[in-house]
Every structure is written in C-alpha cells, then in structure tokens.
Amino acid sequence: MEQKLIIYNTLSRKKEEFKPITPGRVGMYVCGPTVYGDAHLGHARPAITFDLLFRYLTHIGYKVRYVRNITDVGHLEHDADEGEDKIAKKARIEQLEPMEVAQYYTNRFHQAMDALNVLPPSIEPHATGHIIEQIELVKEILDNGYAYESQGSVYFDVNKYNHDHHYGKLSGRNLEDVINNSRELDGTGEKHHQVDFALWKCAQPQHIMRWPSPWSDGFPGWHCECTAMGRKYLGNHFDIHGGGMDLIFPHHECEIAQAVASQGSDMVNYWMHNNMITINGQKMGKSLNNFITLPQFFSGEHEALTQAYSPMTIRFFILQAHYRSTVDFSNEALQASEKGLSRLMDGMKTIDQITAAEKGTGEHFDLPYVDELRTKCYEAMNDDLNSPILISHLFDACRVLNTVADHKATISAAALDALRELFHTFVLDILGLRPEAGSNSAREEAFGKVVDMLLEQRMAAKAAKDWTTSDRIRDSLAALGFEVKDTKDGFSWKLNK
C-alpha cells in the first residue's frame, strides 16, 4: 500500500506532501555533532528524530542516501566567526593532537548511538576531510561577487546578497533585525558590515588547526562544511536537510545564502528541525553547562539523576513527544517512559503467550481490527512522523492483548499473526525499540522464566496430588506479590507492583 508522507517544511512554515526530486530516491543531510565532548540528551534528539525519518522512508520503499557530518574543525568557541576552535581549545588544555580529541569523542558518539539503536548514516563525512571542497565553495562565492577578502580572511557580504536575494527567509528575520541583534565582536574591523560571516579565517600564530589556501594559512568558517559536503554527496539539489531548531539561525540561514550565492539556486527542498530538550525550562546544552551526557544517563552518575536509565528508555522518552514539540527533562518523566516502554515490550511478549480461539460469547478480535489498527499507525507516521499518536495506538493494542490474556475476549489465529507482524514492523523496525541485554526488559524476561518454572513445578505437584508442595509454591509467590490464576490451559500470573 503506497503511503503519502506529509512533513512540516520549516522554509514554507507549513505541512507539505513529500515529493522527492528523483522518484524512489531520497537525499537527506543532517547536521551531526561537534566532537569535543560526550554527546548529551540534546544531541540524542536529532539523532533519534532523523533515525525515525530514515527508517520510515526506507520502510515505505525509498532508497535513502543519508549523510550526517562530523564537525571536527571550524566550530568556534564564542561565535561562528570569532574565538577559539572548541576542539583546538580542548587539545591545547589536555596537550593532545586535535585529531586525538576528535577521534576519541567520535568513537564515544558512535558507542552512544549504537546503544540508542540509531542506524549509521549512509555517509559520515568529516569537516577536516573536505577542506578542498570548502575552499572551492569560497572561491565560487567570491567569483560571483558575494564575498570579499580582508587581511587574509574571507567574509560573506550579507548586504550585497540580501539586495539580490533574501537573507532570513528560513528564520523569518529581516536584515535590520539581524543587524540590531548582532554583537560587537573582536575582529569586526576586518568586516565591511557587522552581520557578515566568515567563509575562511586567517589563522593566528597560536592556532593549531590550519590549512593553506589562496588567501592565507587558515581554516574554514563553520557554515561552509555542511554546504560543501551536502553538495558533494547529494548534488546541487537534494530533498531534506535536518537538524535541531537552534541551527535555523545562523547556521542553516547561512547555508542557504552560501548555496544560492555559489550556484544561483536553493540547494534544499525541505528543511526539517526538531525542537529542544529543556531542563527547568531552559535549553539543555553545553553552552549553558546544564547538560547531562548520555553515558551519565546510562550509568546514573549525575547529581540530577535519581537512577540509571537504559538507552531504550531514553529513546522511548524522546519518541513519546512529537519531534517539533519541546520536551522537558525530569526524573519523573523518564520513569514514566520506563514504565511505558515496559508496557509496550510486555505487549509484544503477550502475543506469544496467548492462544488463538474461534469466536466465543465475549468480544472477539479478527483481521478487520488489525487492518484498522494498521491504517491508524500509518496515518500517524504519515502525519509529520507523529510518533506519540503511533505509540498511543500500540498501547490500545496492548490493552486488547491483555484482555485476551485474561480470557475476557478472544482473538483469531489470523489476527494474532497479523498483530505480531504489526508490532514487529512499528515497534522494532520503525520506532527502533528493542529489548536490551542487561536492561530491565531482559532481566524481567529471565525473571519471568524462573516464575514459570516454579509454577510448572506446582502443576506437577498438583498432578501428583502433592498439595503441600503445591500450596507452598502458591503461598510463597503470593507473599512476594504475585497473583497466580489457574486456567484451563495451565496457569497465568502477574506481579502486583
């Protein structure tokens, strides 16, 4: 069944039907991390959001080339134009080569993404591996008259560009607002105007990371890398560019200007942005020093955490909110997500525990029920990746499964098989959730097998008319909070928490 995906385009500020440039193929670029420290929850959100999109586009039949970059140069400490490169600064403090810092945290980022079950991108280019492409981009912009050289650096002429095009069309700002909100910065004497941004910076003698160029030994401006690498791997025009909404201005606004200034036309058809993770109403991020790293979430070793949270709990926490809504961190919210995840995974286990039956006197579920559920699930995903609505439909299915397990309803064999396939598709393949080795879900599975074994011993004792052993097992489990029911097929149990 062909699916019609509707997505919110930040550029047009409305939902649009997704129509790829090339039928059956999608080019997607997402801004990846700056690798000078461990990834935090704010990094996890775009990774999981665009992993969901990648998975869903693939599921509905597109061949996707997914490019996610690694920023290992050019991301400066105080501003996109001024200050010290973050990786170079950490290298200087720790007396390491900058590439040692970048490689260490790139490895750590990959480990965190693996734990979150984020699929690797098709291509993962590094900024330092594409200096030549960035220099060529700067040359094109200079040749077209939208940049100028000053003291070995090259700056984008925002006023000239805005006269011919529109600087601010993604963020909705006009140039006067940008000028009024700009800060006076060291080195603005090199610029024609305060709002101009660096395409290439002449390196000061103490600057570690530098490359030769026609203008100076220096390094590219932060905004150049995504434009240059997106064009290299996806062409002059591609479908989707994504990232966090904090990148809309200035980063993505500058990317649009660079693309138009260099090639005369927009490079991207659909701009998609996830909203922020907040803590006490403030954006969670390294610049505000209010972040919790993913390894800290997984271990519980942070003063703001009351416990450790598994990677799948973190993934479920993010997917429970729509990607364009703000999510506020709290231990209570994560604990609720832990319970919600357990409920979903228990539903999948229940499918394999219940027995199909022909229609009885009570409520009966057959294929039409599963067909309607499947339609609702696709409608949720097609409506701008509405993962919380999808999860609510899956919770409704869990309620049906529990009703059948409690022998208050029946389900046909065909419907049971279809439900099993539906859960596998939407829970495992699309939402990307999975039981975790060593996690609560895996421990509970082992725990449940032990309880089953005890109850099987109780059944054997009853069959042998060993009532003393049978009652002792039942009473011991009851004392621990287990509710045991004898059924015509054997037994059922649940733990009253």
Side-chain angles (χ1 to χ4, degrees), residues 264-321:
S265 59
D266 283 319
M267 190 164 65
V268 179
N269 280 5
Y270 301 88
W271 288 87
M272 296 181 67
H273 295 88
N274 63 272
N275 215 319
M276 297 180 293
I277 299 281
T278 59
I279 180 168
N280 298 323
Q282 274 192 316
K283 174 194 169 185
M284 181 181 285
K286 291 179 179 176
S287 61
L288 297 173
N289 199 33
N290 66 347
F291 64 94
I292 305 171
T293 68
L294 292 175
Q296 287 171 328
F297 273 109
F298 302 158
S299 68
E301 295 174 358
H302 190 279
E303 60 184 11
L305 299 174
T306 59
Q307 65 178 81
Y309 296 99
S310 75
M312 285 302 99
T313 297
I314 299 296
R315 186 177 180 103
F316 189 78
F317 169 69
I318 289 171
L319 291 171
Q320 270 194 304

Side-chain angles (χ1 to χ4, degrees), residues 213-231:
S213 79
W215 316 287
S216 64
D217 279 5
F219 51 94
W222 169 35
H223 309 305
C224 287
E225 61 182 86
C226 292
T227 305
M229 293 189 291
R231 187 164 65 177

Side-chain angles (χ1 to χ4, degrees), residues 185 258 414 496:
L185 301 166
Q258 290 172 159
N496 296 317

Side-chain angles (χ1 to χ4, degrees), residues 72-274:
D72 53 3
V73 67
H75 198 303
L76 306 177
E77 184 64 31
H78 303 296
D79 182 82
D81 293 350
E82 309 301 330
E84 185 173 8
D85 185 286
K86 293 178 178 180
I87 294 171
K89 179 180 179 180
K90 196 169 188 76
R92 176 175 53 78
I93 292 171
E94 298 184 9
Q95 297 185 317
L96 297 170
E97 282 289 329
M99 286 300 100
E100 283 185 271
V101 174
Q103 188 63 58
Y104 176 78
Y105 286 111
T106 298
N107 293 343
R108 299 271 291 180
F109 174 75
H110 288 156
Q111 290 164 7
M113 293 303 103
D114 288 345
L116 292 169
N117 201 25
V118 170
L119 298 174
S122 315
I123 303 172
E124 190 176 60
H126 291 226
T128 52
H130 297 79
I131 301 297
I132 292 173
E133 288 82 1
Q134 293 177 76
I135 289 173
E136 288 303 310
L137 173 68
V138 177
K139 286 180 180 178
E140 290 174 12
I141 297 172
L142 274 168
D143 290 344
N144 290 338
Y146 292 108
Y148 56 90
E149 183 181 352
S150 177
Q151 300 179 36
S153 295
V154 180
Y155 293 97
F156 190 93
D157 192 332
V158 174
N159 265 310
K160 171 70 183 303
Y161 175 84
N162 190 62
H163 180 270
D164 298 339
H165 304 284
H166 177 199
Y167 182 79
K169 65 181 182 180
L170 182 67
S171 60
R173 307 184 188 204
N174 60 55
L175 188 55
E176 185 177 342
D177 293 335
V178 176
I179 291 171
N180 291 338
N181 292 325
S182 295
R183 296 181 291 119
E184 289 292 344
L185 301 166
D186 293 337
T188 51
E190 296 181 1
K191 301 180 182 181
H192 291 176
H193 303 97
Q194 192 175 327
V195 293
D196 296 345
F197 58 89
L199 298 173
W200 185 265
K201 285 292 292 181
C202 177
Q204 298 302 308
Q206 70 274 16
H207 201 93
I208 305 172
M209 302 178 80
R210 58 173 66 215
W211 291 264
S213 79
W215 316 287
S216 64
D217 279 5
F219 51 94
W222 169 35
H223 309 305
C224 287
E225 61 182 86
C226 292
T227 305
M229 293 189 291
R231 187 164 65 177
K232 178 179 176 66
Y233 295 109
L234 298 173
N236 289 351
H237 305 283
F238 58 89
D239 299 297
I240 298 171
H241 195 319
M245 68 175 296
D246 56 322
L247 297 178
I248 293 175
F249 188 88
H251 186 48
H252 289 163
E253 197 73 76
C254 292
E255 279 196 62
I256 289 175
Q258 290 172 159
V260 174
S262 63
Q263 66 187 35
S265 59
D266 283 319
M267 190 164 65
V268 179
N269 280 5
Y270 301 88
W271 288 87
M272 296 181 67
H273 295 88
N274 63 272

